[in-house]
Amino acid sequence: MPILLDGRSLTREIQNALGQEARLLPRPPGLGVILVGHDPASRVYVDRKAAAATRLGFHHVQIDLPEQTTEAELVFEVDRLAEDPAIDGFLVQIPLPPGIRRDRVLDRIPATKDVDGVHPENLGLLALGRPRFVACTPAGIMRLLERGGVPLAGRTATVIGRSAIVGRPMSLLLDRANATVTMCHSGTADLEACVRRADVLVVAIGRPHAIPGTWVKPGAAVVDVGMHRLPDGRLIGDVDPDGLDAAGWVTPVPGGVGPMTIAMLLSNTLEAARRSQVDRA
Ligand code: GUN
């Protein structure tokens, strides 16, 4: 049976350490979160971020904006958090309602407060091998792989999905760890072949059970970024677990990647606070 890459226990450990480090700063790290509209999954995510930040003693500001918010109104709120000296880092929850240009909003977040790692400067620094703020989900996945003792150097890695917030930074991080990385997407000709040769497989497609477990190479590490709620209330991922028994490592859904994303957000916020409160002092 595969080894479970348990995100819940690693998150607890990381958050305990972050809480202790935060207490050494002149003032609590400040995290801002902007949510536009009423996407139910986004609501759950931002509530979890708020609960974790509060538990660690971080200063936390939540800005909830209605679905009809204009791009100009959202940019106004981004600028307010950008100028707020008590806020060390902030994020705008994705997806945004139609009519708001995501890039226009995300580019407006100062790179030094971009704890989600989505600003072009931060993604560019990662691409150059000089990471500053790394997107939280891929950063959390690297920590899970490291904790599980999954070998990366010289191995074949396949990343399915090329979003700026998961797939693209994920492939850059695996490349930095000296894996040989293939990025797959909707235009990939033979997805099954790419999955079958992967020693490390990261799936972030956003479609329930889109990848059959029977495609997975025996002994491979399988990281499932997907999370989908079925009508009966169960949560399932992008990978169908049927046939996964021969994998070497798997992330559970839920309790694998999800909690790690929040731990890395708090870690980036602490780092932003350290840079603004200590390094500049
Ligand atoms: N939507 C889904 N995941 C994320 C995330 O990590 N950050 C933001 N801003 N939006 C998301």
Side-chain angles (χ1 to χ4, degrees), residues 211-227:
I211 300 297
T214 49
W215 288 3
V216 169
K217 182 176 179 176
V222 181
V223 177
D224 192 340
V225 181
M227 192 147 71

Side-chain angles (χ1 to χ4, degrees), residues 109-129:
I109 299 172
T112 51
K113 289 196 176 189
D114 168 38
V115 285
D116 240 357
V118 290
H119 189 280
E121 187 177 320
N122 286 321
L123 202 49
L125 283 169
L126 176 61
L128 292 168

